[in-house]
Amino acid sequence: MFTNKKSLLALSIASVFALSGCFSDDDGNDYAPPGPGPDPEVVVQPEAPVEIGAVVYGNIVDVEDSATLPSTVTFYEAGVASENIVDVDGNVTATVESEDGSFVFQLKDGADIDEVTAVVTSEGYVSKSFILDLTEFGSDDISLTLGLTSEDNVAVFTSEPVALTGGSSATEIKVPVMGDDGASSSEVTIPANTVLQDANGDPVTGSVTVKLTTAKPGSASFAAIIPEGLNEPNATTVLKPAGVTSVEMLNADGVKVKQFSSPINVNMAVETGTAGPLALSSNDEDTGKWAQETEQVTVASDIGSFTTSHLTLFAGSVSAPVCGSPITFNFDGDAIPNPSGLTLSLLSTDGSKSYNVKGNNFTISQGKISRAGISNESTAVVQLTDVEGNVWFESDDEVALCTAGVGQAVAATLVNPIDPVSETLSITAVCSNDDSVSIGASGALVKYKLGNKGSKVAKGDGAGNYALNNMVSGEDYTVTVKYKKSLSSIADATFTVTADGTDDTRSESLVCPTSTGGTGGTGGN
């Protein structure tokens, strides 16, 4: 059979033209071969948050059983709400509403303050202001225990409502209170037609109730309810309260009576044998600021009397020379727990003062001696307790802090009253969008507490490991965690760990950021 060569040649030429047409741009279409595909998404490990720096952490407790109290804490400087107190996120926070009775704060960058006043209130307890010493802040944490006294342990009386017309009563208003001990008493007398005014000087309308609070002079309760800050630093004399009473008046709308059109009369019990006249001081219950009044307190039959045109807490005091040199405390025995330290409390009939101590010795400097109201012959019960209220040392009686104007050296042998256990809590943040990617949950605020006792702050190592120190062996502790910075999307956590000496672990889930990476696809064949 013969092949038709002409037909084969024509077919070959046609094929060439057909193939060349596939790669021609003559028709305006681009048929370039496909390139690499998009880079795949890769889950990225979050940046590790930096550990929280030094903090001040405190607990509001019942002075008798060290149980923490739901409370409100407001910080003041010279009677003005502080702008230097910040939370661990850097937010200015002059007021803390604490459900568990604890608070944590830091100082704003650039703040240069040595102390701040904390005004503390809790339902059913006598409100009190505390002077918080911040001179050691920054070098380490500061742990504080602030004790309030139950109204059940002092003399408190609230009157029936008294009707007012135009801000006054046509008859005399007299409200007395007498404690169960028969030795704590107080009385306020408002003359007829005296106009009761609010803080702006406007007449208070409706009806008012009068609340008087006092305590037996010289008793533990008396010392415990006296607000701190009566005396100034570096003073040559100190005031020692001999009588104290608080007078509060409110109308049905909660408006406070703060002043009067003319003076009213107040009586209060003073310590037996006290001779007058006494210096009169007033403490603003809202700001914790003390002021010296021009009036004095006259004394007769252990009752101090004075007149005033405003309402607040009042103290009648005697003056004494300040202790003339520093007071030192030397500790031996069991090691002070780290990092919380111990609370050194000085309890006397003149008042109470506490300090956070962490080393084998502690000194109250000359400037702080007058701030604490320590006179040239002061004595006090010396007590050292941990955050949970366990007593490590307590003197049998009041010991001399200062003798003939010379500060004394006080020795204390510490005994840890618990079987202590320490362990590590390791927390890992795992990416929910790729569980092979994780990071140690550093930079969190971790607190732990036993039952209704005070909270402690666990320090981190920068890799998500937190030290739970000085726990009672075998007990369950409640741990709360607040995550920060790149891990802040993780919800605050509350859980339980058992103090058994075994390290604990926990993982948290979060959506991690993504990024494109790799070489992408290779296109067609």
Side-chain angles (χ1 to χ4, degrees), residues 405-473:
V406 178
Q408 301 297 292
V410 180
T413 298
L414 305 178
V415 178
N416 190 341
I418 68 171
D419 179 15
V421 170
S422 295
E423 55 196 53
T424 299
L425 170 65
S426 299
I427 308 177
T428 303
V430 180
C431 298
S432 61
N433 41 344
D434 184 349
D435 61 11
S436 68
V437 181
S438 64
I439 188 173
S442 59
L445 174 62
V446 178
K447 300 192 297 182
Y448 59 110
K449 66 180 298 184
L450 173 63
N452 63 354
K453 302 303 182 180
S455 295
K456 292 181 276 192
V457 172
K459 303 304 291 184
D461 66 352
N465 304 307
Y466 298 88
L468 309 180
N469 293 330
N470 208 55
M471 299 189 292
V472 180
S473 179

Side-chain angles (χ1 to χ4, degrees), residues 17-40:
F17 278 105
L19 289 171
S20 66
C22 290
F23 296 94
S24 171
D25 287 334
D26 291 346
D27 61 358
N29 294 322
D30 186 359
Y31 294 100
D39 290 340

Side-chain angles (χ1 to χ4, degrees), residues 113-327:
I113 57 175
D114 291 333
E115 65 179 33
V116 66
T117 300
V119 178
V120 184
T121 61
S122 182
E123 184 70 26
Y125 286 77
V126 180
S127 300
K128 185 176 178 179
S129 56
F130 299 84
I131 304 299
L132 310 187
D133 184 354
L134 304 179
T135 53
E136 299 299 321
F137 177 78
S139 59
D140 203 351
D141 290 352
I142 297 176
S143 174
L144 302 168
T145 299
L146 310 181
L148 297 184
T149 301
S150 171
E151 291 183 348
D152 294 337
N153 296 328
V154 295
V156 180
F157 178 78
T158 301
S159 73
E160 293 295 325
V162 178
L164 301 178
T165 302
S168 66
S169 170
T171 58
E172 177 184 82
I173 302 173
K174 178 175 286 190
V175 178
V177 58
M178 176 67 73
D180 294 337
D181 54 25
S184 55
S185 62
S186 185
E187 182 179 78
V188 59
T189 303
I190 304 172
N193 301 315
T194 301
V195 180
L196 284 61
Q197 302 166 333
D198 62 19
N200 297 320
D202 298 322
V204 175
T205 59
S207 59
V208 296
T209 56
V210 183
K211 181 180 180 180
L212 299 180
T213 304
T214 189
K216 179 182 178 181
S219 67
S221 295
F222 175 85
I225 67 172
I226 298 172
E228 294 182 356
L230 174 61
N231 292 287
E232 295 293 329
N234 300 303
T236 57
T237 60
V238 295
L239 294 174
K240 303 171 62 176
V244 64
T245 190
S246 172
V247 187
E248 299 176 70
M249 299 183 72
L250 297 170
N251 73 359
D253 297 323
V255 177
K256 290 185 177 182
V257 176
K258 297 298 292 182
Q259 51 191 329
F260 303 91
S261 60
S262 56
I264 66 171
N265 303 298
V266 179
N267 293 340
M268 63 183 174
V270 298
E271 194 163 4
T272 300
T274 301
L278 307 178
L280 180 64
S281 308
S282 61
N283 180 266
D284 188 322
E285 74 273 15
D286 293 325
T287 66
K289 187 175 182 180
W290 281 95
Q292 302 304 312
E293 303 289 327
T294 56
E295 297 86 353
Q296 290 185 314
V297 181
T298 60
V299 178
S301 302
D302 297 335
I303 295 294
S305 303
F306 60 93
T307 61
T308 181
S309 294
H310 67 101
L311 288 186
T312 189
L313 180 142
F314 297 96
S317 305
V318 296
S319 180
V322 70
C323 185
S325 60
I327 301 167

Side-chain angles (χ1 to χ4, degrees), residues 340-355:
S340 57
L342 295 175
T343 296
L344 167 65
S345 298
L346 306 178
L347 312 171
S348 76
T349 57
D350 303 330
S352 60
K353 182 62 181 175
S354 62
Y355 304 89

Side-chain angles (χ1 to χ4, degrees), residues 438-517:
S438 64
I439 188 173
S442 59
L445 174 62
V446 178
K447 300 192 297 182
Y448 59 110
K449 66 180 298 184
L450 173 63
N452 63 354
K453 302 303 182 180
S455 295
K456 292 181 276 192
V457 172
K459 303 304 291 184
D461 66 352
N465 304 307
Y466 298 88
L468 309 180
N469 293 330
N470 208 55
M471 299 189 292
V472 180
S473 179
E475 296 290 343
D476 290 336
Y477 280 72
T478 300
V479 179
T480 59
V481 185
K482 175 182 175 60
Y483 298 95
K484 291 173 51 57
K485 302 296 183 180
S486 62
L487 307 181
S488 60
S489 62
I490 302 175
D492 296 351
T494 300
F495 51 93
T496 300
V497 300
T498 301
D500 55 9
T502 302
D503 292 343
D504 297 280
T505 60
R506 181 178 178 85
S507 63
E508 299 283 7
S509 177
L510 78 162
V511 178
C512 294
T514 59
S515 176
T516 56

Side-chain angles (χ1 to χ4, degrees), residues 57-61 66 130 143-147 343 354 385-387:
Y57 62 97
N59 292 286
I60 313 302
V61 304
S66 297
F130 299 84
S143 174
L144 302 168
T145 299
L146 310 181
T343 296
S354 62
T385 55
D386 59 26
V387 171

Side-chain angles (χ1 to χ4, degrees), residues 325-330 362 382 399-403 406-412:
S325 60
I327 301 167
T328 59
F329 298 85
N330 301 307
F362 178 78
V382 177
V399 300
L401 301 180
C402 194
T403 301
V406 178
Q408 301 297 292
V410 180

